[in-house]
Amino acid sequence: MATLPVRELSPLPHGHPCYGCEARKVAVCGVLPPLELAELKDCGSNLQLQEGQPLFHEGDPASQVYNVTQGTLRLYKLLPDGRRQIMGFMMPGDFLGASIGGEHAFTAEALEPTRLCRFGRARFADFGEEHPALERELYRLAGHELAAAQAQMVLLGRKSAVERVASFFMSLLDREERFDGKPHKIIDLPMSRSEIADYLGLTKETVSRVFAELKNRRLIRLAALTRVEVLDRHGLADVAEGYSEA
Amino acid sequence: MATLPVRELSPLPHGHPCYGCEARKVAVCGVLPPLELAELKDCGSNLQLQEGQPLFHEGDPASQVYNVTQGTLRLYKLLPDGRRQIMGFMMPGDFLGASIGGEHAFTAEALEPTRLCRFGRARFADFGEEHPALERELYRLAGHELAAAQAQMVLLGRKSAVERVASFFMSLLDREERFDGKPHKIIDLPMSRSEIADYLGLTKETVSRVFAELKNRRLIRLAALTRVEVLDRHGLADVAEGYSEA
DNA sequence: CGCGTGCTTGACCAATGTCAAGTATGGTGG
DNA sequence: CCACCATACTTGACATTGGTCAAGCACGCG
């Protein structure tokens, strides 16, 4: 991958401390009242990545934390022979900062044009100490990530291919609904079949076949290659949880 | 499972605030200087579980946090049809408290006679606020758990059966060595083949066959059913990381 | 309109799961 | 101390799921 230089935007545009964060109920920024949010802006700067561009690699020193405002990142680990496990996808509103011993535990790459706001880890930490609400929020987020990781372990360790894909759709649906509160039917997939496969512990061929099966079972419809319409939400949820595999 | 009443021990024995914690470099207690550790004792009580006895179930309200001092617990989630994924094993020195929204995300059961010290979540939190070292330690632990969960995702999503078992042995070995700093050769397995299988996303038969294969390859020796001797540490590590599967 | 890339589909294969004996181990009671 | 029993582990034969390899298709970009 020809590592393009990361494009630096202006050190945070006027009106908006964490440019774009307020559009969704964004992690971290979301818990701060406007005044303190404005204060936080001095710690951060804006950042843009092109498709395929890495934000950091596994093992890099972790001196920054990030808030995704637009686009999508893939987080992954590689085995020496190239097998890839995608740990998750970061989308607008997600906070990216967890690390142990100051090193990133995975690689983060944009899979489409992506914007983030970046904070120096140290300054961010200082800021956190003065704002317990922020620290509490970070701890809460860590808890959520852990819960998500555990759900993913069940998926990878014990679910069949159909169950994995159904669970994947359900979690994307749930994610959307957590933002605006109202039910959704359409899922837009910013990631390729390969990426879905590497996230679900399958191959791209199996993912493709399972899409076809779910289509035949009238649980979904493919409005386009990257656009899934959920036709039977409850049916899909049942498959995801492992019922109905009679 | 006939849920025996949890056996309550005295509200913490004299000399030792967190009875047994000091034996190993125990999470949480380990970071506190003796004086503050003594102070912490007033928040906690001692607890003993028999083999098979649950500490809490998935979905239970999480009002306590625990430190394991002896024995082993299995943490697991179930699918509706009974498939089980074990998220991990808690052993002496481990801290058990993570939860989201005040609910436990998994079931915890003793797989052998087990002792813990228990703290009320609220009092523990109060104590934490006065001891930043403790809070920092908790945050650090959460980071470690997350890293472990991510490594397990790679294992479950992308590793073969042999690689999984080899990784399992290596992580038990590493765990021992993190405590006393010196290299180990012997691994005692407190858990059954079934439990190993449910942890690694395999069946007990496959686990058994892989044990046999590693024995044939002279990487391990079975000193007893529950006692593994590692004959070739580097060889085993290579298998675990996915090299050498020519 | 044509090309490239990524997606789909098919045929076949390998790894692991399932089911069923058979064997070892450790605990219990004589 | 030994014999027996229950349980857990091992091993074998076979089934199944999902992976591999290869061809064909289709979408989207130029």
Side-chain angles (χ1 to χ4, degrees), chain B residues 229-242:
Chain B
E229 181 183 351
V230 176
L231 298 177
D232 178 355
R233 198 204 159 88
H234 289 296
L236 196 64
D238 283 349
V239 173
E241 293 316 311

Side-chain angles (χ1 to χ4, degrees), chain B residues 81-149:
Chain B
D81 63 357
R83 278 173 284 174
R84 177 176 69 168
Q85 177 64 42
I86 294 186
M87 328 301 304
F89 300 101
M90 297 302 264
M91 296 177 179
D94 288 332
F95 178 73
L96 188 50
S99 72
I100 354 105
E103 276 195 10
H104 288 294
F106 43 73
T107 298
E109 277 172 11
L111 56 80
E112 58 181 344
T114 296
R115 272 165 176 265
L116 310 100
C117 51
R118 178 181 60 183
F119 307 94
R121 174 173 289 275
R123 296 188 67 181
F124 191 79
D126 291 347
F127 190 84
E129 290 198 0
E130 290 156 32
H131 301 273
L134 184 62
E135 286 213 310
R136 246 178 286 123
E137 175 69 3
L138 286 177
Y139 199 72
R140 202 183 62 79
L141 284 175
H144 269 273
E145 264 185 82
L146 201 61

Side-chain angles (χ1 to χ4, degrees), chain B residues 192-194 204-205 208-209 212 222 225:
Chain B
S192 71
R193 301 294 191 263
S194 260
K204 57 182 190 303
E205 291 93 337
S208 207
R209 278 186 255 267
L222 281 181
L225 266 183

Side-chain angles (χ1 to χ4, degrees), chain B residues 123-193:
Chain B
R123 296 188 67 181
F124 191 79
D126 291 347
F127 190 84
E129 290 198 0
E130 290 156 32
H131 301 273
L134 184 62
E135 286 213 310
R136 246 178 286 123
E137 175 69 3
L138 286 177
Y139 199 72
R140 202 183 62 79
L141 284 175
H144 269 273
E145 264 185 82
L146 201 61
Q150 288 165 349
Q152 193 70 356
M153 284 192 240
V154 176
L155 182 148
L156 294 169
R158 287 294 174 232
K159 290 191 182 176
S160 72
V162 219
E163 290 164 359
R164 294 182 197 201
V165 174
S167 302
F168 176 61
F169 288 154
M170 288 309 299
S171 68
L172 288 175
L173 223 45
D174 288 346
R175 175 178 218 287
E176 283 308 305
E177 298 182 358
R178 229 174 300 125
F179 276 122
D180 54 21
K182 56 191 170 197
H184 283 248
K185 281 185 153 36
I186 302 291
I187 306 170
D188 272 299
L189 302 172
M191 67 293 281
S192 71
R193 301 294 191 263

Side-chain angles (χ1 to χ4, degrees), chain B residues 35-113:
Chain B
L35 254 170
E36 298 183 347
L37 194 56
E39 203 183 314
L40 177 62
K41 90 172 170 191
D42 303 325
C43 309
S45 62
N46 231 307
L47 204 66
Q48 178 152 353
L49 298 173
Q50 297 313 313
E51 181 176 339
Q53 221 181 330
L55 181 59
F56 51 75
H57 288 102
E58 182 173 353
D60 281 357
S63 52
Q64 320 274 332
V65 300
Y66 309 88
N67 236 332
V68 183
T69 54
Q70 282 176 34
T72 311
L73 297 152
R74 54 175 174 254
L75 312 182
Y76 65 85
K77 283 168 170 281
L78 292 175
L79 289 175
D81 63 357
R83 278 173 284 174
R84 177 176 69 168
Q85 177 64 42
I86 294 186
M87 328 301 304
F89 300 101
M90 297 302 264
M91 296 177 179
D94 288 332
F95 178 73
L96 188 50
S99 72
I100 354 105
E103 276 195 10
H104 288 294
F106 43 73
T107 298
E109 277 172 11
L111 56 80
E112 58 181 344

